[in-house]
Amino acid sequence: MEVPSHAWYGDTNMTLTFPDNWEVEVLNFADRPALTHDEMQEAFQSPIGTPRISELASRSKDAVIIVDDLSRPTPAPDILPYILDELKAGGIDRGSTLIV
């Protein structure tokens, strides 16, 4: 089966073999508009299936945030301010936060 490989870094396909009893489906990213400021803020204030970052942060003194490299499409510069705000609301200031 041909599956996409090296997304955002060459976009090639590779052939993989799967057991006959596996049901394999390749799902492609749909083009979607970027979230607005309000939509992003709402997502951090009302997460689905997990406590807010501020609630989780209230149990800690410091935090480490891992961001991906430029070969991924994550808009880290747009997302980080919301994460830092949530950490601050939970009692972790920027001086106690390491971004890797």
Side-chain angles (χ1 to χ4, degrees), residues 10-22:
D11 291 334
T12 61
N13 287 329
M14 94 177 14
T15 302
L16 296 177
T17 304
F18 299 101
D20 291 337
N21 61 338
W22 284 20

Side-chain angles (χ1 to χ4, degrees), residues 53-68:
I53 293 172
S54 58
E55 183 181 333
L56 297 170
S58 69
R59 303 177 208 149
S60 299
K61 298 182 295 186
D62 52 19
V64 175
I65 301 170
I66 307 293
V67 295
D68 51 16

Side-chain angles (χ1 to χ4, degrees), residues 12-85:
T12 61
N13 287 329
M14 94 177 14
T15 302
L16 296 177
T17 304
F18 299 101
D20 291 337
N21 61 338
W22 284 20
E23 184 177 327
V24 179
E25 183 178 352
V26 176
L27 302 175
N28 295 311
F29 287 106
D31 289 329
R32 300 277 188 241
L35 294 177
T36 66
H37 168 79
D38 291 339
E39 291 169 330
M40 210 172 296
Q41 190 168 31
E42 173 62 25
F44 280 98
Q45 290 177 349
S46 303
I48 298 170
T50 187
R52 285 181 63 165
I53 293 172
S54 58
E55 183 181 333
L56 297 170
S58 69
R59 303 177 208 149
S60 299
K61 298 182 295 186
D62 52 19
V64 175
I65 301 170
I66 307 293
V67 295
D68 51 16
D69 63 18
L70 295 176
S71 69
R72 302 290 182 253
T74 308
D78 298 332
I79 297 169
L80 280 173
Y82 299 99
I83 296 171
L84 293 170
D85 287 347

